[in-house]
Amino acid sequence: MSVSQNNPSNNMRSQLFEAKSALFIGAHPDDIEFYCGGLVYMLQANGCQVTFAVGTRGGKGYTGWMKRRLERLRTAHQHDSAHILGGAKVVLYDYSDKSLANDVQSYAQDLKTLIKNINPDVIFTWDPDFIYNPHSDHQAAAQAGRIASEKRCIYYYGTREPNVWIGFDINIMQIKIKALRAHRTETPWYYWMLIRGSFLTRHKNAGVKVGERYAEALRRLS
Ligand SMILES: [Zn+2]
């Protein structure tokens, strides 16, 4: 395991890996695993209590029983995945999938309440400037996270401008993949076959930054 930054500092290491409590904010079940699954596992292995805050249950545009069934499935899958990653506490909110942008202030208030309760040393959320996948829910989670975090230490995931890389080995990568694939409606085998190559390449390219096989990339706000 290693941590790197353009301007390495011991403070950076201690903030991340001496954190006693960490909050990861997402819009949908699976957001956090895609970009931070390895980090979540390592933090918890290091004794940190990790909490996931997820704005929607991922019902997408479906209506009626289809929507409710999908939400139930994805809620269960989020809990399965958190268990695989070491037992993160999961808090799911009931904002509508695809329209979280209408509820940024309300989600931010929920997050403020959660932050008051768990008092995280560090907070992670979507990068609002991530243009590779400009999903309005992701941007809404980024905004809500930024508002709620106030003056606390915050890192963005899903960023194109990383300044911190969290390196790990094949074992942790396998745990990350297992957690991601616990979201069975989102990563069925045929979809996984499509994205597997680019997923691994992204992590390998990030790993080069820290001399490890794989890594996750983050942007810490200065
Ligand atoms: Zn998402």
Side-chain angles (χ1 to χ4, degrees):
M1 172 175 82
S2 66
V3 181
S4 175
Q5 193 195 20
N6 285 342
N7 300 304
S9 75
N10 289 333
N11 285 345
M12 176 67 67
R13 284 170 183 269
S14 53
Q15 254 175 337
L16 266 180
F17 285 100
E18 291 179 12
K20 296 284 180 265
S21 174
L23 174 62
F24 288 77
I25 297 167
H28 313 109
D30 83 1
D31 286 355
I32 295 162
E33 291 84 342
F34 252 106
Y35 291 96
C36 305
L39 174 60
V40 166
Y41 178 81
M42 288 191 288
L43 282 171
Q44 292 188 128
N46 220 39
C48 179
Q49 172 62 60
V50 173
T51 302
F52 289 181
V54 182
T56 79
R57 293 176 192 264
K60 293 189 176 166
Y62 298 113
T63 58
W65 72 270
M66 280 290 289
K67 174 174 180 278
R68 288 196 294 275
R69 181 167 182 268
L70 188 56
E71 286 179 345
R72 273 202 304 275
L73 282 171
R74 295 194 67 182
T75 296
H77 296 164
Q78 181 65 89
H79 285 280
D80 291 346
S81 171
H83 179 72
I84 291 165
L85 291 176
K89 178 184 173 191
V90 176
V91 182
L92 285 145
Y93 299 93
D94 288 304
Y95 295 107
S96 291
D97 195 359
K98 286 192 175 173
S99 57
L100 188 58
N102 296 334
D103 296 302
V104 168
Q105 293 300 331
S106 180
Y107 188 27
Q109 280 305 316
D110 289 335
L111 293 171
K112 278 186 189 177
T113 302
L114 181 63
I115 287 167
K116 202 173 168 188
N117 288 337
I118 66 173
N119 192 25
D121 302 307
V122 60
I123 295 172
F124 303 83
T125 191
W126 276 103
D127 189 325
D129 299 324
F130 184 44
I131 57 172
Y132 171 71
N133 179 10
H135 193 307
S136 62
D137 286 351
H138 296 166
Q139 289 162 342
Q143 273 182 283
R146 182 75 183 268
I147 294 166
S149 67
E150 295 178 328
K151 291 185 166 39
R152 289 173 191 262
C153 179
I154 188 164
Y155 289 80
Y156 288 154
Y157 63 82
T159 183
R160 292 170 68 91
E161 295 178 335
N163 55 14
V164 185
W165 290 267
I166 312 297
F168 47 82
D169 61 15
I170 182 77
N171 296 320
I172 289 177
M173 182 50 119
Q174 285 173 342
I175 294 166
K176 171 169 178 159
I177 291 172
K178 189 176 175 191
L180 187 57
R181 299 212 60 204
H183 295 276
R184 295 198 294 278
T185 59
E186 308 309 295
T187 51
W189 68 267
Y190 49 87
Y191 180 64
W192 177 242
M193 286 299 106
L194 274 178
I195 67 166
R196 182 176 177 275
S198 60
F199 179 85
L200 291 174
T201 298
R202 172 160 60 85
H203 288 81
K204 282 178 185 169
N205 289 342
V208 168
K209 298 285 187 181
V210 280
E212 296 228 19
R213 187 157 177 183
Y214 303 106
E216 291 169 341
L218 300 165
R219 177 156 72 102
R220 186 191 166 172
L221 295 195
S222 53

